[in-house]
Amino acid sequence: MKKIGLMLALFGMVCALARASSPEARIQGQLIDASTNQVINYADIFLFATGSEKPLRQTFPDDQGRFSFAKLAPGSYAVMVRLMGYDVLTTGDILLEASSPVDLGRLMMRPLEVGIAEVEVVAEKRQLVYKLDKRVVEASSNMMGEGGSAVDILENTPSIRVDAEGAVTFRGSSGFLVYVDGKPSLFSGTQALEQVPAGHIANIEIITTPSAKHDTEGDAGIINIITKKHSARGLSGMVNLSGSTWMASAADFLLTGQGRRSRWYVGGQWTNRLRKSEFDQEKRTVVGDQTTTSHSVGPRTGNNYRYSLKGGWSLELPKTTLALDFEGGYGGNKRKGEMTYEETRRTGEGTPVVGHYRSLDDYDNDQNIGMGTFTARHRFNESGHELSGGAHYIYGGHALEYFFNDLISLEGQRQQGHRAYEAEHRETMRVNLDYALPLKTGTKLEAGYQYYSYLEDGDYNMEWWDPEGQTFFWRDDIYNTFYFQEGVNSIYAILSHTWRNLEAQAGLRGEHTHTVLRSSVEGADRTKNRFELFPSVHLGYTFPDEHRLLASYSRRTTRPQLFYMEPYITYRDFYTAEIGNPDIRPEYIHSFELNYRKNFGENTVSATLFHRYRKDKIERLRVPYSAGVTLDSMANVGQDYSTGIELSVSLRPARWWNTTVNGNVYHYKVRNEQAAGGNTTSSTNYDILWNNLFNLGKYTRVQLDGSFVGPSVTTQGRTDAYWYANVALRQQLCNRKLTATLAFRDIFRSAKYVSDIQTADLRSLTRIKPKYPQITLTLSWTFNSFKAQSAPAKEDRSEMFEGIKH
């Protein structure tokens, strides 16, 4: 209660600063895209004294496109706005008097995209934009993303890595939240990214050190997907179709209607994102005096699928905006394997017993999904004084996880097998209220409250094969019921200040978390309550000649999800079992960043130094369970540290050639405190991506990518390095309304995933190679006010490998 009292007292003191202020000499305005009427929230904005060629100050717009130059002396000024892909906008002869602000109103930025007869100019948008508290990935700058998902677009981003199972990690961590237009996704992690079609994405925000305004969940931060919202008057639409040699297929559409004040949209998707790999795994387990070695080889397939419809309506009044969105459908993920399996068992010094089998496994996790969101925002004035709020609800019903495993003799007789069923339903609710108030000294106050709730309940059943009776029987000793509910009450306050070329922001968030776990497993019930404080600091300074320096810090957490805690055995395949840990603790993360950016005309250089310290790191550990079977469990293994640098260089050597080199190198250290065979280890991790875009005429483009993925370590082993190359060709037809993209991934068949786990009583060596070739054809059609996007087709390592967790 003392912490709560201190938090409320601090919040009250900060709010007390929000009082009426007298006018001051400032110049302010708002950036708007002239073609879509949407705000532009990243651009370089310069202030000049009339007659001078040297800028006095530089600033950047906020999330609503607003900007301000405060504490100015009386005089005559000019404002210039520059953003790749748009005309340079200049507003001159701005006369400023003492204590008299000048509002430039809505400044309309016009895209550099003109088609007249045989003359056409298409300007490339900047691939990666750094802001005070986030980086923005421009979706239209990447060709390999067409026909794919958000994962494909992100793969050109520094420090993004996708493992052999398709799991996305950022700087070695998979702990990130996924939002869509600022609202929680229906799914989580990698699955959430794969559910959003690339054709619906405008850009993606990566918030690595989120401010106190954002949820504290996720050690790597927040990935916010901004979807396209074309708002030119009338009816607009687009349709995307794609298929691959892996038999993956996708179709999606989006229709929008824009009136004078209201807008509606309807969209949908039918997606089957297949992965196919050749799988090879060797295992050796020691249980008591029995040693078992096994070798399984064969094909594995995976599929993330989704069939859904979405729609929405919004109303834009002079000072108030209302919006309603909904989505519903069916989705999930499945995987399947058919292995040749050789097993050798030896007890003590006895004679080895060798067996040859076919191992079959099948898994499916599906659910009916529904989502509804209502948001409202009221602007008291055009200076950023506003009140906003929203309610968000997600339902996952009739969810069923189904596991099927069989061990078949070469004569076709089932030797062993089981069937497992986990039926459940899930509900997520979020309510928030946010307030923003500009103060007289160029300072801005933000404060708010949020309530979040997640509920999941169900039961788990298993059937086991009886070789003697030649039938399946129910395992009553394994049957389990479970109930999980987590509620989080949050309150935050942020104070930000802009003074000449300096931007500063400091915030504090307090969260009370209540968690309940109920299970029919004896002794597994848990009830936990915590109150915690999460500070954040962001600083930005613009030096002369467009040198830009950003520094940030935030404290984060990763709360254990239900599958981390489930206290009963499940099976991934016949020889890989899993169990949760009801006593697992949250992770706590301290993240520091220092970013430097410099523009040289159309060329950009940026570098980011980062350090992350994580306490009570959660990791999946593998130990022997029974003869030939390993058990994966979740545990707090200790601490880990990541310290490194990201580099990004974007150049345009010629008008027909754009090239970008993204790379990162960081030292990673895991200090293991577990006795389950792990060890303290470290590695130097590095990734390099070279992206090239060639314009071969007015309507033809080629993209060539090369990637090198360095080795990495865990507390129990390591994964080897690998490399691959991709090529894509895009052709625009029918006055750029029809776009065809042909993408060939891993053209030299060089990608190969190798994982080696070693402990005192376990050796697990896994090799996975993607099925060859993978060629994808994507067709996109736009009509009316939908503009043809300058978007290539981008590679997705998530579709390269299947089977890493087996």
Side-chain angles (χ1 to χ4, degrees):
M1 292 301 295
K2 290 182 178 179
K3 289 185 177 180
I4 296 177
L6 289 172
M7 182 62 186
L8 293 175
L10 176 61
F11 186 77
M13 293 173 62
V14 175
C15 290
L17 294 174
R19 55 182 179 271
S21 59
S22 58
E24 64 170 355
R26 71 165 69 194
I27 296 173
Q28 62 192 27
Q30 185 181 30
L31 301 185
I32 303 293
D33 187 313
S35 65
T36 67
N37 205 36
Q38 298 295 306
V39 299
I40 295 176
N41 58 13
Y42 54 94
D44 296 301
I45 309 172
F46 301 94
L47 178 71
F48 296 84
T50 299
S52 174
E53 296 182 357
K54 184 176 181 179
L56 295 175
R57 298 189 196 173
Q58 181 183 10
T59 190
F60 304 89
D62 63 16
D63 289 340
Q64 299 303 316
R66 291 185 289 265
F67 66 91
S68 175
F69 294 102
K71 289 188 174 181
L72 297 176
S76 179
Y77 296 93
V79 170
M80 182 180 73
V81 184
R82 192 171 67 191
L83 177 61
M84 292 289 288
Y86 290 83
D87 275 329
V88 175
L89 186 149
T90 302
T91 301
D93 297 326
I94 304 172
L95 297 178
L96 187 66
E97 300 178 358
S99 300
S100 179
V102 173
D103 191 343
L104 302 177
R106 291 158 60 94
L107 301 180
M108 310 305 288
M109 301 285 292
R110 299 193 178 280
L112 274 175
E113 189 165 23
V114 182
I116 303 177
E118 296 301 319
V119 179
E120 182 176 85
V121 179
V122 178
E124 295 297 327
K125 293 185 178 180
R126 191 176 301 166
Q127 179 185 4
L128 192 62
V129 177
Y130 288 87
K131 301 188 69 178
L132 181 63
D133 60 349
K134 71 186 73 170
R135 65 191 67 186
V136 181
V137 181
E138 176 58 49
S140 66
S141 64
N142 178 8
M143 259 180 17
M144 294 294 294
E146 290 191 6
S149 66
V151 175
D152 301 86
I153 295 171
L154 284 172
E155 202 142 20
N156 270 346
T157 306
S159 296
I160 292 287
R161 178 183 288 197
V162 183
D163 69 18
E165 189 74 5
V168 175
T169 59
F170 184 73
R171 295 175 184 167
S173 174
S174 59
F176 54 83
L177 292 180
V178 177
Y179 287 176
V180 179
D181 293 325
K183 300 177 284 290
S185 168
L186 288 165
F187 298 91
S188 61
T190 303
Q191 189 178 5
L193 296 175
E194 290 188 330
Q195 298 300 318
V196 184
H200 289 199
I201 299 173
N203 56 59
I204 300 176
E205 298 175 343
I206 302 176
I207 311 172
T208 53
T209 52
S211 69
K213 181 177 181 178
H214 298 286
D215 290 329
T216 59
E217 181 76 18
D219 65 314
I222 297 171
I223 295 178
N224 184 30
I225 301 171
I226 307 299
T227 59
K228 293 178 179 177
K229 300 177 182 65
H230 295 261
S231 57
R233 290 287 183 90
L235 181 66
S236 308
M238 68 176 182
V239 178
N240 302 297
L241 302 172
S242 68
S244 80
T245 53
W246 284 4
M247 303 308 293
S249 60
D252 62 80
F253 74 95
L254 182 62
L255 297 175
T256 67
Q258 178 69 45
R260 190 170 68 90
R261 293 193 179 278
S262 64
R263 171 183 175 272
W264 62 264
Y265 73 90
V266 176
Q269 64 170 305
W270 179 284
T271 303
N272 290 283
R273 303 194 187 283
L274 270 69
R275 301 180 301 273
K276 296 185 178 182
S277 289
E278 297 299 327
F279 181 86
D280 187 326
Q281 185 175 76
E282 300 175 51
K283 280 187 181 181
R284 178 183 61 84
T285 61
V286 179
V287 180
D289 63 346
Q290 181 167 303
T291 300
T292 304
T293 61
S294 63
H295 187 197
S296 54
V297 179
R300 283 203 174 278
T301 61
N303 182 16
N304 285 322
Y305 55 93
R306 179 162 174 161
Y307 321 112
S308 65
L309 293 172
K310 65 179 182 179
W313 173 84
S314 62
L315 178 65
E316 184 80 29
L317 299 174
K319 290 190 175 182
T320 303
T321 302
L322 304 174
L324 181 66
D325 302 275
F326 67 89
E327 184 170 0
Y330 171 74
N333 63 89
K334 60 178 65 176
R335 59 178 181 266
K336 183 179 295 186
E338 185 172 347
M339 308 284 118
T340 58
Y341 181 70
E342 178 181 318
E343 182 180 87
T344 302
R345 300 191 181 192
R346 183 172 182 173
T347 303
E349 298 299 324
T351 302
V353 178
V354 181
H356 297 272
Y357 309 94
R358 290 173 57 234
S359 174
L360 308 177
D361 63 86
D362 196 354
Y363 167 84
D364 195 357
N365 180 10
D366 62 354
Q367 64 176 334
N368 296 327
I369 52 179
M371 179 272 289
T373 300
F374 174 75
T375 58
R377 180 165 63 98
H378 179 74
R379 299 176 295 278
F380 297 97
N381 55 39
E382 296 300 322
S383 299
H385 184 197
E386 65 180 43
L387 180 68
S388 61
H392 186 67
Y393 177 77
I394 300 174
Y395 174 77
H398 302 287
L400 178 65
E401 282 190 79
Y402 169 70
F403 302 82
F404 160 103
N405 289 282
D406 279 329
L407 204 61
I408 308 294
S409 69
L410 298 183
E411 292 75 29
Q413 298 296 316
R414 181 184 288 112
Q415 303 296 304
Q416 300 182 54
H418 70 262
R419 309 283 185 268
Y421 312 86
E422 188 173 56
E424 56 201 9
H425 97 277
R426 312 176 182 101
E427 295 183 47
T428 302
M429 182 176 66
R430 183 186 304 262
V431 179
N432 66 282
L433 185 66
D434 301 285
Y435 178 71
L437 175 67
L439 301 177
K440 66 176 182 178
T441 58
T443 304
K444 182 179 181 181
L445 169 71
E446 297 175 83
Y449 166 80
Q450 176 180 282
Y451 174 72
Y452 164 82
S453 173
Y454 177 78
L455 181 148
E456 182 174 339
D457 69 348
D459 61 6
Y460 179 78
N461 275 301
M462 179 177 284
E463 293 181 287
W464 206 266
W465 178 251
D466 178 11
E468 294 184 2
Q470 290 291 295
T471 186
F472 283 97
F473 66 95
W474 291 103
R475 289 280 302 269
D476 294 334
D477 58 319
I478 290 181
Y479 176 77
N480 179 69
T481 61
F482 58 87
Y483 172 88
F484 176 78
Q485 196 274 331
E486 182 175 71
V488 183
N489 285 278
S490 307
I491 189 171
Y492 75 89
I494 299 175
L495 214 55
S496 57
H497 177 74
T498 301
W499 186 81
R500 294 185 181 275
N501 294 338
L502 175 67
E503 299 173 82
Q505 181 190 93
L508 185 64
R509 186 180 185 95
E511 293 191 343
H512 179 268
T513 304
H514 175 73
T515 303
V516 176
L517 174 66
R518 297 287 181 263
S519 172
S520 55
V521 174
E522 186 176 354
D525 290 357
R526 300 289 188 273
T527 301
K528 300 176 183 179
N529 289 279
R530 300 186 305 274
F531 180 82
E532 300 157 310
L533 296 177
F534 298 91
S536 67
V537 178
H538 295 79
L539 299 171
Y541 190 82
T542 302
F543 296 90
D545 300 322
E546 300 185 53
H547 294 271
R548 175 84 166 147
L549 194 64
L550 305 172
S552 58
Y553 161 78
S554 70
R555 183 175 187 253
R556 310 284 298 161
T557 187
T558 299
R559 300 184 184 92
Q561 301 178 42
L562 176 59
F563 72 87
Y564 289 2
M565 306 167 66
E566 293 171 334
Y568 50 87
I569 297 289
T570 62
Y571 281 81
R572 177 167 290 270
D573 53 46
F574 186 78
Y575 30 83
T576 308
E578 298 177 326
I579 190 171
N581 177 3
D583 292 314
I584 199 161
R585 301 182 300 277
E587 297 178 334
Y588 295 99
I589 305 96
H590 297 271
S591 296
F592 304 83
E593 283 192 10
L594 182 65
N595 172 261
Y596 168 79
R597 178 171 62 86
K598 168 65 177 174
N599 294 332
F600 302 90
E602 297 184 6
N603 307 312
T604 303
V605 176
S606 66
T608 301
L609 293 170
F610 62 88
H611 174 75
R612 185 183 68 209
Y613 161 66
R614 175 165 46 184
K615 179 184 178 183
D616 288 333
K617 169 181 168 60
I618 297 174
E619 189 170 299
R620 185 185 300 273
L621 298 181
R622 178 167 290 181
V623 297
Y625 178 56
S626 62
V629 180
T630 56
L631 177 66
D632 291 351
S633 62
M634 308 302 293
N636 297 104
V637 299
Q639 289 83 42
D640 70 351
Y641 311 81
S642 299
T643 304
I645 184 171
E646 293 175 358
L647 295 172
S648 180
V649 180
S650 181
L651 304 173
R652 191 167 189 175
R655 290 185 59 83
W656 50 269
W657 179 22
N658 286 279
T659 183
T660 302
V661 178
N662 292 326
N664 79 92
V665 57
Y666 63 95
H667 181 74
Y668 180 69
K669 179 180 179 181
V670 183
R671 181 174 295 170
N672 181 33
E673 297 176 355
Q674 287 289 315
N679 55 77
T680 300
T681 186
S682 64
S683 68
T684 299
N685 298 346
Y686 47 90
D687 298 331
I688 301 173
L689 172 65
W690 185 19
N691 172 268
N692 294 274
L693 181 62
F694 304 97
N695 296 314
L696 306 181
K698 189 163 55 174
Y699 299 123
T700 306
R701 291 187 179 179
V702 173
Q703 180 170 322
L704 178 63
D705 295 340
S707 296
F708 181 85
V709 182
S712 62
V713 300
T714 66
T715 55
Q716 290 188 307
R718 60 177 286 118
T719 58
D720 291 353
Y722 61 92
W723 69 275
Y724 58 92
N726 311 311
V727 65
L729 170 67
R730 191 191 72 175
Q731 181 68 43
Q732 293 181 317
L733 305 164
C734 303
N735 196 26
R736 302 184 70 228
K737 293 184 179 297
L738 176 63
T739 300
T741 304
L742 187 66
F744 196 150
R745 304 184 179 188
D746 190 23
I747 56 179
F748 300 113
R749 205 179 186 186
S750 56
K752 184 178 182 180
Y753 175 86
V754 178
S755 170
D756 191 1
I757 296 175
Q758 297 189 50
T759 68
D761 47 13
L762 169 69
R763 170 76 186 277
S764 179
L765 178 63
T766 304
R767 304 178 184 90
I768 306 172
K769 198 168 184 62
K771 186 176 176 61
Y772 187 84
Q774 187 193 4
I775 302 174
T776 303
L777 175 64
T778 302
L779 300 176
S780 300
W781 176 265
T782 65
F783 65 89
N784 290 353
S785 58
F786 267 76
K787 289 185 174 293
Q789 299 293 320
S790 304
K794 156 100 197 51
E795 197 278 333
D796 177 5
R797 292 180 216 141
S798 71
E799 295 185 352
M800 288 184 116
F801 308 102
E802 171 61 30
I804 185 176
K805 295 179 182 177
H806 296 262

